[in-house]
Amino acid sequence: MTESYLQNLFAERIGGRQYGKSTAIYKFEKIKRAKRAALAANPGAEIIDMGVGEPDEMAFPEVVAEMHRAALKPENRGYADNGDAVLKQAAARYLDRVCGVKGINPETEVVHSIGSKAALSILPAAFINPGDYVLMTTPGYPVFGTHAKYYGGLVHNLPLTEENRFLPDLDSIPAEVLKKAKALVINYPNNPTGASATAEFYQRVVQFARKNNVIVISDAAYAALVFDGKPLSFLAAPGAKEVGVELHSCSKSFNMTGWRIGFVAGNELLVKAYGDVKDNTDSGQFLAIQHAAAYCFDHPEITEKIAAKYARRMEALVQVLRAAGFNARKPQGSFFLYVKAPRAAVKPDGSRIEFRSAEEFSQWLITEKLISTVPWDDAGAYLRFSVTFVARDQADEKRVLDEIAQRLSGVKFEF
Ligand SMILES: Cc1ncc(COP(=O)(O)O)c(C=O)c1O
C-alpha cells in the first residue's frame, strides 16, 4: 500500500515522517495491557488498583450544588476568557488563609487555568526560545518539559533521591546549563515520591532563582493534601513573588480531576504573560465551574476531610508493606507512597524471581498478585502505590488492605 502524503507532513517534534510508526510501548500503556491480561487470565478476580493518580471519590455534593446554581445563571453561559473576579478573589483569599501567602492581588496576580496540566503546557510558550534550558526534577510530571522541547528548549533533569530527601541538588547543575537555564519546575508534595518541601528549601530556591535569573514554576497540584499542619506554599517564601508563580488545582485537593479547574498565581508580569498566551490558546473554563472552584477555595475543610482519609489509608498501607519487607514510610502529604522495588522474590519452594528494574517488579505484581502500581526507574528502582484504590467504605478499605497483605505474604522479598 502506498503511503499517504500526510505521513510526510508531521512536525519533527512529534516524530516527523516516522510519526505513528514506533512500536515502543510506553509505561502507562504497558500497565494498562498488563491489567487487561491479568483480568483475562483470572476472570472475576479483584484487581487492586494502586496505579491511578486520581481520587477515587466524587466532588463533594455541596460543590456540585454550587456548580448547578451557577450553571442556571444566564450571565455565566458564554466564553469566560481569562475569567471574572469570583475565582480570582477566592484564590487570593485561599492563598492567604490556607497557605499563609499575604498580599496576592486578585486582579493582577491570579489567572485561572483549565487544570494545572493546561497551565504547564501554556507557560513554556511565554518563556522558552530554542536552546533555552528548563530544570526539571526526575522522576516527575513531564508536561512543562515536553512543551519546552516543542519550542526547541532543552531539559536538564535533577534526580530526586532518598539521600537528598527527594529535593533537587541545585548545586549539581553544570555552569553551561545554568547559563542557559530559563525555568526551574518544582512540585511539592511531589508526584511520584510523595516528598514534601521545607521552608528552607523554598528560601534556597528563591536565592537560586535570583542569582541565576531563573523563573520558578511551583506546581502545587497536591499542596493542600497534607497530613499534619498547614500546606506549605512556595509563594510564602520571602521574595518568591519576585521570581515565580505557583499552580494550584481543584483536581486532587477537591476530588475534581474531570472538572478541569485551577489557577496560576504569583509574579504579576509572569501571570500576565501566562494570561496572554492562554488567551490565544483557550477561551476560559465555564464560569459555573470557576464559581464552584471559588466555593472550594473558600471551604478548605473539604480538603482536610479528603486528606484525613488518605492519611488513614497511608498508615495502614505502610504497615502492610513493612510487614512484607518494604522500607515504607508515611509521607507528609499527597496520596503517593514511594518505595524501593525489591531485587528478587523468593517462593517457599526456594525458587527465585529476579527483578532487573522496578518495571519488571511492577509487571510481576500485577500478573502474579493482581496489584497494579506504577514503576519508576528514573532515579533508582521505585514503585508508586497510590492510596486512591477503590473501597466502598472504611470496612471495605480494611478488607482491601488485608487482601493486599494476604497477597504479598508467601514470598520473601530481597532488596
Ligand atoms: C505533579 C502534577 N502536576 C499537575 C498535574 C495535573 O493536574 P490537573 O488535573 O490540575 O491538570 C498532575 C496530575 O496528575 C500532577 O501529578
Side-chain angles (χ1 to χ4, degrees):
M1 203 174 75
T2 52
E3 218 170 59
S4 158
Y5 71 93
L6 298 175
Q7 189 66 50
N8 297 328
L9 302 184
F10 294 106
E12 295 305 327
R13 67 176 65 91
I14 65 160
R17 290 176 177 204
Q18 295 305 312
Y19 173 71
K21 292 184 175 179
S22 167
T23 51
I25 309 168
Y26 294 102
K27 184 166 75 178
F28 288 96
E29 178 56 27
K30 274 190 198 162
I31 296 168
K32 265 194 219 156
R33 289 187 188 190
K35 260 200 283 193
R36 275 203 301 271
L39 257 182
N42 303 273
E46 180 185 21
I47 302 256
I48 300 177
D49 195 346
M50 291 194 284
V52 283
E54 59 178 317
D56 55 309
E57 289 194 66
M58 281 182 65
F60 279 33
E62 57 269 37
V63 179
V64 178
E66 186 63 31
M67 149 82 178
H68 184 227
R69 261 193 302 279
L72 290 171
K73 295 183 182 166
E75 65 271 27
N76 290 341
R77 75 186 182 287
Y79 291 125
D81 298 327
N82 278 352
D84 63 9
V86 177
L87 175 54
K88 287 169 180 249
Q89 287 171 358
R93 280 194 298 273
Y94 175 80
L95 285 171
D96 181 341
R97 285 191 208 145
V98 177
C99 305
V101 180
K102 304 288 166 201
I104 290 287
N105 181 337
E107 274 171 40
T108 56
E109 294 175 342
V110 182
V111 169
H112 82 280
S113 69
I114 303 187
S116 295
K117 185 176 190 177
L120 289 166
S121 69
I122 285 172
L123 281 160
F127 313 118
I128 304 301
N129 287 324
D132 289 343
Y133 266 100
V134 177
L135 309 169
M136 305 270 303
T137 55
T138 181
Y141 191 71
V143 174
F144 189 102
T146 302
H147 283 263
K149 286 194 252 177
Y150 286 171
Y151 294 108
L154 301 158
V155 172
H156 178 78
N157 282 323
L158 299 165
L160 299 182
T161 62
E162 228 162 316
E163 300 78 63
N164 285 335
R165 289 177 300 130
F166 302 110
L167 299 173
D169 179 2
L170 300 174
D171 296 329
S172 69
I173 304 161
E176 63 275 17
V177 171
L178 213 43
K179 243 188 289 167
K180 295 193 222 156
K182 274 268 180 77
L184 166 68
V185 183
I186 49 174
N187 159 234
Y188 292 99
N190 182 256
N191 174 11
T193 69
S196 286
T198 60
E200 297 73 44
F201 171 71
Y202 282 154
Q203 193 58 68
R204 277 211 57 216
V205 168
V206 172
Q207 286 158 5
F208 168 86
R210 270 205 199 118
K211 184 171 166 215
N212 298 291
N213 298 334
V214 163
I215 292 162
V216 178
I217 311 290
S218 169
D219 173 1
Y222 301 86
L225 289 175
V226 291
F227 303 146
D228 289 304
K230 287 216 153 204
L232 184 66
S233 163
F234 168 69
L235 292 176
K241 216 166 71 172
E242 289 154 37
V243 300
V245 289
E246 189 157 82
L247 279 51
H248 287 260
S249 167
C250 287
S251 288
K252 322 284 168 139
S253 307
F254 296 96
N255 295 345
M256 288 163 68
T257 41
W259 293 52
R260 313 311 304 134
I261 186 72
F263 66 84
V264 175
N267 183 275
E268 181 176 341
L269 195 56
L270 301 181
V271 169
K272 178 177 160 39
Y274 160 71
D276 285 342
V277 181
K278 180 182 175 304
D279 213 15
N280 283 290
T281 307
D282 62 57
S283 299
Q285 182 51 282
F286 182 27
L287 280 171
I289 291 181
Q290 289 196 42
H291 294 182
Y295 177 92
C296 289
F297 291 121
D298 280 332
H299 291 83
E301 69 280 3
I302 294 176
T303 311
E304 285 166 21
K305 284 187 197 144
I306 296 169
K309 174 181 121 179
Y310 294 146
R312 183 182 70 227
R313 288 179 169 204
M314 200 63 95
E315 274 153 32
L317 182 62
V318 164
Q319 279 184 16
V320 166
L321 291 178
R322 288 188 82 87
F326 291 82
N327 183 17
R329 260 169 296 173
K330 186 185 169 198
Q332 290 169 278
S334 83
F335 43 63
F336 298 127
L337 186 61
Y338 189 70
V339 293
K340 210 170 229 162
R343 282 186 292 113
V346 185
K347 290 189 176 167
D349 64 6
S351 60
R352 284 168 65 82
I353 308 117
E354 307 273 350
F355 308 117
R356 281 165 304 176
S357 62
E359 186 168 320
E360 280 192 9
F361 176 59
S362 173
Q363 287 282 328
W364 178 85
L365 210 50
I366 181 72
T367 309
E368 296 288 320
K369 303 292 176 189
L370 307 184
I371 296 174
S372 174
T373 55
V374 178
W376 299 86
D377 286 295
D378 310 64
Y382 286 81
L383 228 56
R384 189 190 80 181
F385 289 82
S386 179
V387 293
T388 53
F389 55 83
V390 174
R392 281 185 305 280
D393 49 30
Q394 270 194 57
D396 196 40
E397 188 178 300
K398 182 166 178 334
R399 180 194 64 77
V400 173
L401 286 153
D402 289 346
E403 180 65 27
I404 299 167
Q406 164 62 26
R407 292 187 193 183
L408 293 180
S409 65
V411 280
K412 196 173 170 318
F413 295 110
E414 286 179 5
F415 291 85

